[in-house]
Amino acid sequence: FDKKYLSLYWKLPQTVLDHIDSNRNCEDIAMSMVVAKESNMPPVWVNAKVKDLGKIGISSGGDHISSRTYCIEYFELQLRKAPLILSRVVSYRASSLWFWTN
C-alpha cells in the first residue's frame, strides 16, 4: 500500500465521499478505483476461504450486492469514467497467510 493512494482517496469528489459516509459502505470500491486509475493496473481477486465473524454485518443484508453495484455505477458517473480495469488475475496462495481462513 502506498500512502499516495490514501492522499488521492481524500481528493475524490465530495459526492463520492458523502455517499460512502452516508451509506457506511463501498470505501473499498472507491479505493480500488483510485488505485486502478493511478497505477493503470487491475485489481487482484484473492481466491480464499474467509470465515465471516459476524452475522448481522453490512454484507448480511439482502440488498448488499445491488447496493454495491449502485456504488460502482454512481462512482463512475461522479468520476466521469470507469477506472476499474477488467482482469482475470487471481491469487490462490495468499489465503494460507491469513489467520481467519480455514
Side-chain angles (χ1 to χ4, degrees):
F1 180 79
D2 192 317
K3 64 182 177 182
K4 74 177 176 184
Y5 297 131
L6 187 56
S7 177
L8 291 169
Y9 176 90
W10 292 114
K11 293 178 183 175
L12 285 168
Q14 192 61 47
T15 52
V16 171
L17 298 173
D18 290 345
H19 180 84
I20 292 166
D21 286 345
S22 65
N23 292 283
R24 295 177 38 199
N25 197 0
C26 298
E27 71 287 344
D28 58 320
I29 293 172
M31 182 59 84
S32 290
M33 289 182 168
V34 166
V35 173
K37 182 179 178 213
E38 182 67 17
S39 68
N40 204 29
M41 297 291 291
V44 175
W45 173 49
V46 178
N47 185 11
K49 294 180 182 179
V50 178
K51 183 178 178 182
D52 190 355
L53 302 176
K55 301 269 189 241
I56 57 172
I58 199 166
S59 61
S60 64
D63 66 341
H64 182 68
I65 301 274
S66 62
S67 69
R68 289 179 62 81
T69 300
Y70 177 79
C71 286
I72 293 170
E73 294 167 353
Y74 181 74
F75 294 170
E76 288 176 352
L77 180 66
Q78 297 303 305
L79 297 170
R80 295 182 176 86
K81 66 186 314 187
L84 292 178
I85 300 166
L86 180 62
S87 171
R88 303 245 190 283
V89 176
V90 179
S91 172
Y92 287 99
R93 298 183 54 100
S95 65
S96 64
L97 304 174
W98 298 335
F99 74 94
W100 60 80
T101 60
N102 292 330

